[in-house]
Amino acid sequence: MTVRVGVIGVGMIGQDHIRRLTHVLSGAQVVAITDVDPARAQSVADGLSSCTVHSTGQDVIRDDAVDAVLVTSWGPTHEEFVLAAIEAGKPVFCEKPLATTQEACRRIVDAEVASGRRLVMVGFMRRYDAAYQAVKGAVDDGSIGAPLLMHCAHRNPSVPPYGFTTEMIITDSAIHEIDLVRWMFDEDIAAATVLKPRRNSNAADDMQDPLVLLLEMASGILVDVELSMNIRFGYDIRGEVVGEFGTAALAETGAAVVKNDGRYAGRVPADWRERFIRAYDIELQDWIDAVASGGFTGPSAWDGHLAAVASDTCIEALRTGQRVEVASHERPDFYAKG
Ligand code: NAP
């Protein structure tokens, strides 16, 4: 079966996902798209064979030719489109964040539970990255003993000088680590503190960059996350788990280390598309395969909700300068593991 996909929002990641659905993965065809910029939507459709351009996301979801929906518009629009897809009974892959507030995420969770069918997958693609999976393998098989600490760094060369706020360092960037550590240790985040180091002079005047998050997991594992948004040299993602008698760290990802003239050098990825290119491929193929078989897979709406709860907690910790406990939320049986 070919899964006929409708895409809402054809900006950077929307176009990248259309490229992989069309040229890299199997079992999917992009048959309908929309964007608030109709000219952009038309130019993307012109590069595809028989793809309808709709005026709104609601029209994409209603289109009978669309089996499943990919939401890649900007965050504040996600709730509306995910809720509409659930109402239409269509599987929906939503790029992170699931929605921009925990209340909105909860409405999505409630709607999905009421529908009686798992329809929502959230785009937390780091779970599909081979390097992170290898680190998790070492944690799960006991090779390093019980995990005690994790050091993470999330370094971006730059962010837009206008419109990207300090809080977005948490909601847009740290949200990846927030989901990742829940997955890595299979437990929830219990409390958060946010530290503000000396400012990077490359950052916009009103931005506190870098930030350091201290996340306390339920079992006491302590995670520190450095978030540097304007570090210029490249997109550098680091992670190291410290266990009772060993460590497991993400390896460098460049294809080759070149040694010459008494030096050695490798490549630092330019951006997230380069660093996580395979993870995105595997993630979306997993979704297509699940849709084709009538099943579900991947990070759930409940994961999206808990990420939003932890992200809101970090924002409160940033604003107050205090350690803030994450409110606990009881998982509906609908999202039971396994
Ligand atoms: P982007 O380049 O700004 O693309 C968003 C697109 O959606 C733009 O074309 C935008 O149009 C359009 N749009 C906005 N509202 C819409 C609506 N109501 N209906 C249809 N289209 C609409 O942003 P992006 O970088 O692709 O990010 C999109 C989403 O993906 C965000 O939620 C982001 O957090 C997420 N993302 C995830 C990852 C990841 O690693 N998983 C990486 C990048 C982005 P205008 O530009 O005209 O507003």
Side-chain angles (χ1 to χ4, degrees):
M1 170 197 175
T2 297
V3 177
R4 299 168 304 170
V5 179
V7 181
I8 301 174
V10 293
M12 233 181 338
I13 202 161
Q15 291 186 40
D16 203 37
H17 283 339
I18 289 171
R19 174 193 60 77
R20 60 174 45 87
L21 288 170
T22 308
H23 300 295
V24 182
L25 309 184
S26 59
Q29 186 189 353
V30 176
V31 296
I33 63 173
T34 189
D35 196 280
V36 280
D37 178 348
R40 183 187 299 153
Q42 191 57 57
S43 97
V44 171
D46 288 346
L48 300 168
S49 62
S50 68
C51 174
T52 308
V53 176
H54 286 292
S55 313
T56 69
Q58 301 290 352
D59 293 335
V60 169
I61 294 164
R62 272 193 294 267
D63 186 338
D64 287 337
V66 167
D67 301 316
V69 180
L70 181 58
V71 177
T72 45
S73 47
W74 71 307
T77 64
H78 291 183
E79 178 190 8
E80 173 195 348
F81 298 134
V82 175
L83 285 175
I86 292 170
E87 198 181 337
K90 296 189 179 183
V92 51
F93 179 103
C94 180
E95 262 309 337
K96 64 84 189 162
L98 175 59
T100 46
T101 64
Q102 58 179 292
E103 292 76 18
C105 290
R106 186 71 216 204
R107 287 191 284 276
I108 290 172
V109 162
D110 291 344
E112 190 181 37
V113 171
S115 82
R117 253 185 87 193
R118 284 279 296 272
L119 292 166
V120 181
M121 174 168 169
V122 184
F124 287 129
M125 80 298 177
R126 290 195 186 185
R127 298 180 181 209
Y128 292 87
D129 177 65
Y132 274 121
Q133 288 182 347
V135 171
K136 182 166 172 54
V139 170
D140 289 347
D141 71 11
S143 328
I144 62 169
L148 311 173
L149 299 164
M150 182 167 184
H151 307 297
C152 303
H154 186 142
R155 300 180 181 136
N156 264 300
S158 62
V159 289
Y162 305 105
F164 197 100
T165 63
T166 303
E167 292 190 358
M168 286 168 72
I169 301 177
I170 294 170
T171 57
D172 264 49
S173 297
I175 193 92
H176 282 296
E177 275 82 9
I178 285 172
D179 176 71
L180 179 88
V181 296
R182 290 189 55 249
W183 167 80
M184 177 70 67
F185 301 117
D186 203 15
E187 59 183 84
D188 289 332
I189 300 170
T193 308
V194 179
L195 305 177
K196 302 177 186 175
R198 180 179 178 180
R199 282 188 64 252
N200 184 334
S201 60
N202 293 320
D205 287 345
D206 55 356
M207 176 181 271
Q208 170 56 50
D209 171 26
L211 292 179
V212 174
L213 265 51
L214 295 178
L215 305 175
E216 298 168 45
M217 307 303 293
S219 68
I221 298 168
L222 184 63
V223 179
D224 58 90
V225 187
E226 170 208 322
L227 294 140
S228 292
M229 295 294 111
N230 292 278
I231 202 162
R232 299 294 188 256
F233 72 89
Y235 182 76
D236 188 31
I237 298 298
R238 316 201 73 81
E240 180 184 41
V241 179
V242 180
E244 284 182 304
F245 49 76
T247 64
L250 299 177
E252 296 293 344
T253 53
V257 174
V258 176
K259 298 183 180 180
N260 65 6
D261 200 20
R263 310 161 78 84
Y264 64 88
R267 179 173 167 75
V268 179
D271 63 17
W272 43 271
R273 281 173 295 198
E274 180 180 345
R275 167 63 182 82
F276 288 110
I277 189 165
R278 279 294 297 146
Y280 290 115
D281 290 349
I282 297 165
E283 166 196 54
L284 269 195
Q285 186 69 64
D286 196 38
W287 179 61
I288 292 299
D289 293 348
V291 172
S293 67
F296 60 86
T297 187
S300 66
W302 183 245
D303 292 316
H305 173 248
L306 287 190
V309 170
S311 151
D312 284 357
T313 307
C314 290
I315 286 173
E316 191 184 337
L318 171 70
R319 284 185 188 150
T320 61
Q322 305 291 312
R323 170 184 180 275
V324 182
E325 292 189 1
V326 180
S328 67
H329 292 252
E330 196 173 336
R331 182 176 56 206
D333 291 343
F334 186 76
Y335 296 104
K337 292 187 180 146

